[in-house]
Amino acid sequence: MYCKIAPWSDSTIHKIQINNKVNAVLEINNLKKNYGKICAVDDLSLRIEEGNVYGILGPNGSGKTTTLSIIMDIIRADQGSFSWFGQVSSVEIKRKIGALIEVPYFYPYLSAEKNLRIIAEIKNVALSNIDRVLQLTHLSERKHTRFDAYSLGMKQRLALAAAMLGDPQVLVLDEPTNGLDPEGIAEVRQIIKIEAAKGKTVILASHILDEVEKVCTHVAVLKKGKLIASGKVKELLDSGEKIIVSATDSDHLQKILSGARFINNIERNNNDFILVLDAPYTAVDINRFTHENGIVLSKLLTQQKSLESQFLELVKQ
Protein backbone atom coordinates (compact mmCIF):
# COMPACT_ATOMS: atom_id res chain seq x y z
CA MET A 1 0.00 0.00 0.00
CA TYR A 2 1.39 3.40 -0.99
CA CYS A 3 0.53 6.27 1.33
CA LYS A 4 1.53 9.90 1.20
CA ILE A 5 0.43 13.02 3.05
CA ALA A 6 0.70 16.39 1.37
CA PRO A 7 2.68 19.13 3.21
CA TRP A 8 0.70 21.17 5.72
CA SER A 9 -0.43 24.59 4.46
CA ASP A 10 -3.34 26.97 4.89
CA SER A 11 -4.60 26.41 1.37
CA THR A 12 -4.16 22.67 0.96
CA ILE A 13 -6.54 19.88 1.93
CA HIS A 14 -4.33 17.15 3.26
CA LYS A 15 -5.38 13.78 1.91
CA ILE A 16 -3.83 10.38 1.75
CA GLN A 17 -3.43 8.97 -1.74
CA ILE A 18 -4.08 5.24 -1.48
CA ASN A 19 -3.57 2.57 -4.08
CA ASN A 20 -6.94 1.70 -5.59
CA LYS A 21 -6.23 -2.02 -5.21
CA VAL A 22 -7.30 -1.77 -1.56
CA ASN A 23 -11.02 -2.49 -1.17
CA ALA A 24 -13.13 0.57 -0.47
CA VAL A 25 -15.90 -0.05 2.05
CA LEU A 26 -17.34 3.44 1.64
CA GLU A 27 -16.83 6.06 -1.05
CA ILE A 28 -18.35 9.52 -0.68
CA ASN A 29 -18.28 11.79 -3.72
CA ASN A 30 -18.99 15.53 -3.60
CA LEU A 31 -21.80 15.34 -1.04
CA LYS A 32 -23.68 18.53 -0.32
CA LYS A 33 -26.54 19.20 2.09
CA ASN A 34 -28.15 22.54 2.90
CA TYR A 35 -30.62 23.47 5.62
CA GLY A 36 -31.96 26.75 4.31
CA LYS A 37 -29.01 29.14 4.15
CA ILE A 38 -26.81 26.83 6.24
CA CYS A 39 -24.51 24.49 4.32
CA ALA A 40 -24.15 21.46 6.61
CA VAL A 41 -22.05 19.38 4.19
CA ASP A 42 -20.05 21.16 1.50
CA ASP A 43 -18.66 19.14 -1.44
CA LEU A 44 -17.40 16.35 0.80
CA SER A 45 -15.45 13.41 -0.65
CA LEU A 46 -13.97 10.55 1.38
CA ARG A 47 -12.73 7.04 0.73
CA ILE A 48 -12.72 4.60 3.65
CA GLU A 49 -10.82 1.37 3.20
CA GLU A 50 -11.59 -2.08 4.53
CA GLY A 51 -10.31 -2.55 8.09
CA ASN A 52 -9.92 1.17 8.85
CA VAL A 53 -11.02 2.61 12.17
CA TYR A 54 -11.90 5.98 10.69
CA GLY A 55 -12.50 8.95 12.96
CA ILE A 56 -14.52 11.95 11.80
CA LEU A 57 -13.67 15.03 13.85
CA GLY A 58 -15.06 18.53 13.89
CA PRO A 59 -16.56 21.18 16.16
CA ASN A 60 -20.32 21.42 16.63
CA GLY A 61 -21.99 22.22 13.32
CA SER A 62 -19.15 20.77 11.23
CA GLY A 63 -21.41 18.24 9.48
CA LYS A 64 -20.37 15.00 11.18
CA THR A 65 -23.84 13.74 12.11
CA THR A 66 -25.35 14.99 8.83
CA THR A 67 -22.74 13.05 6.88
CA LEU A 68 -23.40 9.83 8.81
CA SER A 69 -27.15 10.34 8.46
CA ILE A 70 -26.79 10.65 4.68
CA ILE A 71 -24.70 7.49 4.27
CA MET A 72 -27.22 5.59 6.43
CA ASP A 73 -30.15 6.86 4.28
CA ILE A 74 -31.71 8.70 7.21
CA ILE A 75 -31.67 11.96 5.27
CA ARG A 76 -31.15 12.68 1.59
CA ALA A 77 -28.24 14.68 0.17
CA ASP A 78 -28.92 17.65 -2.11
CA GLN A 79 -26.00 16.72 -4.37
CA GLY A 80 -23.33 14.06 -4.68
CA SER A 81 -23.34 10.31 -4.15
CA PHE A 82 -22.00 7.53 -1.96
CA SER A 83 -21.54 3.79 -2.31
CA TRP A 84 -21.02 0.88 0.07
CA PHE A 85 -18.72 -1.93 -1.07
CA GLY A 86 -18.82 -0.38 -4.55
CA GLN A 87 -22.61 -0.66 -4.75
CA VAL A 88 -25.62 1.58 -4.30
CA SER A 89 -27.14 1.30 -0.82
CA SER A 90 -29.76 -1.45 -0.50
CA VAL A 91 -31.43 -3.62 2.13
CA GLU A 92 -28.84 -6.34 1.60
CA ILE A 93 -25.98 -3.86 1.94
CA LYS A 94 -27.45 -2.46 5.15
CA ARG A 95 -27.40 -5.93 6.70
CA LYS A 96 -23.61 -5.61 6.66
CA ILE A 97 -23.71 -2.35 8.63
CA GLY A 98 -24.51 -1.66 12.27
CA ALA A 99 -25.23 1.96 13.14
CA LEU A 100 -25.62 4.20 16.16
CA ILE A 101 -26.72 7.67 15.03
CA GLU A 102 -27.54 10.46 17.51
CA VAL A 103 -29.94 9.64 20.36
CA PRO A 104 -30.83 5.94 20.70
CA TYR A 105 -34.57 5.17 20.61
CA PHE A 106 -36.09 2.14 22.33
CA TYR A 107 -39.45 1.20 23.81
CA PRO A 108 -39.25 2.70 27.32
CA TYR A 109 -41.58 0.12 28.92
CA LEU A 110 -39.65 -2.90 27.62
CA SER A 111 -36.49 -4.45 29.01
CA ALA A 112 -33.14 -4.29 27.24
CA GLU A 113 -33.47 -7.91 26.15
CA LYS A 114 -36.97 -7.45 24.74
CA ASN A 115 -35.92 -4.31 22.87
CA LEU A 116 -33.03 -6.22 21.33
CA ARG A 117 -35.38 -9.08 20.40
CA ILE A 118 -37.47 -6.66 18.33
CA ILE A 119 -34.39 -5.25 16.63
CA ALA A 120 -33.02 -8.76 15.98
CA GLU A 121 -36.28 -9.76 14.30
CA ILE A 122 -36.24 -6.61 12.14
CA LYS A 123 -32.63 -7.35 11.14
CA ASN A 124 -33.42 -11.04 10.66
CA VAL A 125 -30.70 -11.89 13.18
CA ALA A 126 -30.68 -15.03 15.35
CA LEU A 127 -31.94 -14.32 18.88
CA SER A 128 -28.96 -16.22 20.25
CA ASN A 129 -26.86 -13.21 19.21
CA ILE A 130 -28.46 -11.06 21.92
CA ASP A 131 -26.54 -12.55 24.83
CA ARG A 132 -23.25 -11.94 22.99
CA VAL A 133 -23.81 -8.20 22.52
CA LEU A 134 -25.20 -7.76 26.05
CA GLN A 135 -22.07 -9.36 27.41
CA LEU A 136 -19.81 -7.21 25.23
CA THR A 137 -21.50 -4.04 26.49
CA HIS A 138 -21.60 -5.23 30.14
CA LEU A 139 -25.40 -5.16 30.32
CA SER A 140 -26.04 -8.87 30.95
CA GLU A 141 -26.91 -8.34 34.61
CA ARG A 142 -29.43 -5.62 33.72
CA LYS A 143 -30.95 -7.22 30.63
CA HIS A 144 -34.37 -7.61 32.33
CA THR A 145 -34.46 -3.95 33.49
CA ARG A 146 -36.87 -1.60 31.70
CA PHE A 147 -35.22 0.83 29.33
CA ASP A 148 -36.71 3.88 31.09
CA ALA A 149 -34.88 2.82 34.27
CA TYR A 150 -31.51 2.91 32.52
CA SER A 151 -29.00 5.71 33.05
CA LEU A 152 -27.87 7.75 30.03
CA GLY A 153 -24.66 5.73 29.85
CA MET A 154 -26.53 2.40 29.97
CA LYS A 155 -28.87 3.59 27.21
CA GLN A 156 -25.84 4.45 25.10
CA ARG A 157 -24.32 1.01 25.68
CA LEU A 158 -27.61 -0.64 24.73
CA ALA A 159 -27.59 1.33 21.49
CA LEU A 160 -24.09 0.05 20.83
CA ALA A 161 -25.29 -3.49 21.54
CA ALA A 162 -28.11 -3.01 19.02
CA ALA A 163 -25.61 -1.79 16.41
CA MET A 164 -23.50 -4.94 16.89
CA LEU A 165 -26.41 -7.38 16.51
CA GLY A 166 -25.74 -9.75 13.64
CA ASP A 167 -21.98 -9.23 13.79
CA PRO A 168 -21.94 -6.61 10.97
CA GLN A 169 -18.85 -5.98 8.83
CA VAL A 170 -19.06 -2.23 9.40
CA LEU A 171 -19.93 -0.17 12.48
CA VAL A 172 -21.06 3.46 12.03
CA LEU A 173 -20.96 5.16 15.43
CA ASP A 174 -21.98 8.75 16.15
CA GLU A 175 -20.53 9.86 19.51
CA PRO A 176 -20.63 6.33 20.99
CA THR A 177 -19.20 7.44 24.36
CA ASN A 178 -21.83 10.13 24.91
CA GLY A 179 -23.00 10.08 28.54
CA LEU A 180 -20.45 7.52 29.69
CA ASP A 181 -18.21 7.87 32.71
CA PRO A 182 -14.42 7.31 32.32
CA GLU A 183 -14.82 3.59 32.99
CA GLY A 184 -17.58 3.33 30.37
CA ILE A 185 -15.49 5.26 27.84
CA ALA A 186 -12.62 2.82 28.39
CA GLU A 187 -15.03 -0.11 27.89
CA VAL A 188 -16.33 1.30 24.60
CA ARG A 189 -12.76 1.92 23.47
CA GLN A 190 -11.95 -1.72 24.19
CA ILE A 191 -15.05 -2.93 22.32
CA ILE A 192 -14.02 -0.92 19.24
CA LYS A 193 -10.51 -2.36 19.41
CA ILE A 194 -11.88 -5.91 19.69
CA GLU A 195 -14.18 -5.42 16.70
CA ALA A 196 -11.38 -3.79 14.67
CA ALA A 197 -9.05 -6.69 15.49
CA LYS A 198 -11.54 -8.96 13.70
CA GLY A 199 -10.92 -6.98 10.52
CA LYS A 200 -14.09 -4.92 10.75
CA THR A 201 -14.35 -1.35 9.54
CA VAL A 202 -15.41 1.26 12.10
CA ILE A 203 -16.54 4.78 11.20
CA LEU A 204 -16.55 6.90 14.32
CA ALA A 205 -17.70 10.50 14.75
CA SER A 206 -16.50 12.01 17.98
CA HIS A 207 -15.52 15.28 19.62
CA ILE A 208 -13.31 13.46 22.16
CA LEU A 209 -9.96 13.86 20.45
CA ASP A 210 -8.08 11.68 22.91
CA GLU A 211 -10.38 8.76 22.12
CA VAL A 212 -9.88 9.15 18.38
CA GLU A 213 -6.11 9.31 18.85
CA LYS A 214 -6.13 6.10 20.91
CA VAL A 215 -8.58 4.09 18.80
CA CYS A 216 -8.56 5.29 15.19
CA THR A 217 -6.16 4.41 12.39
CA HIS A 218 -7.34 7.25 10.16
CA VAL A 219 -9.01 10.61 10.71
CA ALA A 220 -10.86 13.27 8.73
CA VAL A 221 -11.33 16.79 10.10
CA LEU A 222 -14.42 18.76 9.07
CA LYS A 223 -15.11 22.46 9.47
CA LYS A 224 -18.42 24.01 8.39
CA GLY A 225 -19.12 20.96 6.26
CA LYS A 226 -15.78 21.05 4.46
CA LEU A 227 -12.97 18.52 4.65
CA ILE A 228 -9.87 20.39 5.82
CA ALA A 229 -7.56 17.45 6.60
CA SER A 230 -7.48 13.69 6.32
CA GLY A 231 -4.98 10.87 6.61
CA LYS A 232 -3.52 8.26 8.90
CA VAL A 233 -3.55 9.39 12.53
CA LYS A 234 0.12 8.50 13.01
CA GLU A 235 1.22 10.39 9.90
CA LEU A 236 -0.87 13.44 10.77
CA LEU A 237 0.84 13.51 14.16
CA ASP A 238 4.29 12.94 12.66
CA SER A 239 3.72 15.91 10.36
CA GLY A 240 3.32 18.07 13.46
CA GLU A 241 6.62 16.96 15.01
CA LYS A 242 8.92 19.74 16.21
CA ILE A 243 12.65 19.61 16.94
CA ILE A 244 14.06 21.85 19.67
CA VAL A 245 17.79 22.62 19.50
CA SER A 246 20.26 24.95 21.15
CA ALA A 247 24.02 25.54 21.24
CA THR A 248 26.52 27.74 23.08
CA ASP A 249 26.72 30.23 20.21
CA SER A 250 23.05 30.87 19.45
CA ASP A 251 23.63 33.46 16.72
CA HIS A 252 26.00 31.18 14.81
CA LEU A 253 23.54 28.28 15.19
CA GLN A 254 20.74 30.43 13.78
CA LYS A 255 22.88 31.32 10.76
CA ILE A 256 23.70 27.64 10.13
CA LEU A 257 20.08 26.51 10.51
CA SER A 258 18.88 29.20 8.11
CA GLY A 259 20.97 27.56 5.41
CA ALA A 260 19.35 24.13 5.79
CA ARG A 261 16.95 23.58 2.91
CA PHE A 262 15.12 20.74 4.68
CA ILE A 263 13.96 22.98 7.54
CA ASN A 264 10.43 24.18 6.80
CA ASN A 265 10.13 26.66 9.66
CA ILE A 266 12.35 28.14 12.41
CA GLU A 267 11.16 29.88 15.56
CA ARG A 268 13.51 31.30 18.19
CA ASN A 269 12.68 31.22 21.90
CA ASN A 270 15.58 32.81 23.77
CA ASN A 271 18.49 30.40 23.12
CA ASP A 272 16.26 27.60 21.80
CA PHE A 273 15.31 27.09 18.17
CA ILE A 274 12.05 25.30 17.38
CA LEU A 275 12.24 23.60 14.00
CA VAL A 276 9.68 21.99 11.68
CA LEU A 277 11.36 19.71 9.15
CA ASP A 278 10.32 18.64 5.68
CA ALA A 279 9.45 14.93 5.38
CA PRO A 280 11.22 12.54 5.71
CA TYR A 281 13.93 14.40 7.67
CA THR A 282 14.33 13.78 11.41
CA ALA A 283 16.33 14.91 14.43
CA VAL A 284 19.17 12.65 13.24
CA ASP A 285 19.54 14.79 10.11
CA ILE A 286 19.62 17.99 12.17
CA ASN A 287 22.34 16.59 14.43
CA ARG A 288 24.41 15.47 11.41
CA PHE A 289 23.94 18.79 9.60
CA THR A 290 25.01 20.96 12.54
CA HIS A 291 27.98 18.70 13.32
CA GLU A 292 29.18 18.91 9.71
CA ASN A 293 28.99 22.69 10.01
CA GLY A 294 31.09 22.82 13.18
CA ILE A 295 28.26 23.14 15.72
CA VAL A 296 27.95 20.83 18.73
CA LEU A 297 24.37 20.95 20.01
CA SER A 298 23.81 21.32 23.75
CA LYS A 299 20.12 20.43 23.37
CA LEU A 300 18.26 18.22 20.91
CA LEU A 301 14.66 17.34 21.76
CA THR A 302 11.79 15.91 19.73
CA GLN A 303 8.34 17.24 20.57
CA GLN A 304 5.34 15.58 18.93
CA LYS A 305 2.05 17.42 18.77
CA SER A 306 -1.08 15.78 20.09
CA LEU A 307 -4.06 15.25 17.82
CA GLU A 308 -5.82 17.90 19.89
CA SER A 309 -3.24 20.57 19.14
CA GLN A 310 -3.26 19.65 15.44
CA PHE A 311 -7.06 19.78 15.41
CA LEU A 312 -7.21 23.17 17.13
CA GLU A 313 -4.70 24.64 14.68
CA LEU A 314 -6.68 23.34 11.72
CA VAL A 315 -10.09 24.62 12.81
CA LYS A 316 -8.63 28.07 13.57
CA GLN A 317 -7.38 28.46 10.00
Side-chain angles (χ1 to χ4, degrees), residues 5 8 16 212-213 216-219 231-241 304-305 307 310:
I5 290 189
W8 291 97
I16 283 188
V212 172
E213 188 171 347
C216 294
T217 59
H218 296 70
V219 65
K232 287 186 176 181
V233 171
K234 184 180 183 301
E235 292 181 2
L236 287 177
L237 295 179
D238 285 346
S239 67
E241 187 174 81
Q304 189 180 65
K305 288 184 179 181
L307 183 59
Q310 290 280 50

Side-chain angles (χ1 to χ4, degrees), residues 159-224:
L160 184 57
M164 293 191 295
L165 275 174
D167 206 21
Q169 295 180 34
V170 182
L171 289 174
V172 178
L173 308 176
D174 185 18
E175 303 284 0
T177 58
N178 183 39
L180 298 179
D181 58 19
E183 183 180 0
I185 291 173
E187 289 173 353
V188 170
R189 183 195 309 158
Q190 187 61 26
I191 290 169
I192 292 172
K193 287 181 177 180
I194 290 170
E195 296 302 293
K198 298 175 183 176
K200 295 185 180 182
T201 304
V202 182
I203 302 169
L204 168 70
S206 178
H207 67 280
I208 304 177
L209 303 176
D210 182 57
E211 291 307 305
V212 172
E213 188 171 347
K214 288 177 179 176
V215 171
C216 294
T217 59
H218 296 70
V219 65
V221 181
L222 304 184
K223 179 182 179 181
K224 295 182 179 179

Side-chain angles (χ1 to χ4, degrees), residues 73-145:
D73 290 321
I74 297 171
I75 60 176
R76 196 180 288 265
D78 295 328
Q79 295 178 28
S81 64
F82 66 91
S83 62
W84 288 102
F85 306 98
Q87 302 175 44
V88 176
S89 182
S90 65
V91 173
E92 286 304 312
I93 290 293
K94 288 179 183 177
R95 293 190 190 280
K96 300 178 181 180
I97 305 166
L100 165 56
I101 308 293
E102 291 194 303
V103 180
Y105 292 100
F106 294 95
Y107 291 105
Y109 52 86
L110 294 181
S111 68
E113 184 182 39
K114 288 181 179 178
N115 269 296
L116 290 181
R117 278 178 172 270
I118 294 171
I119 295 170
E121 289 173 0
I122 293 171
K123 288 186 171 185
N124 196 25
V125 170
L127 298 181
S128 58
N129 197 237
I130 292 173
D131 285 339
R132 180 186 70 86
V133 296
L134 285 172
Q135 187 172 3
L136 271 173
T137 53
H138 302 278
L139 290 172
S140 295
E141 294 183 1
R142 298 292 298 274
K143 65 181 181 180
H144 298 303
T145 302

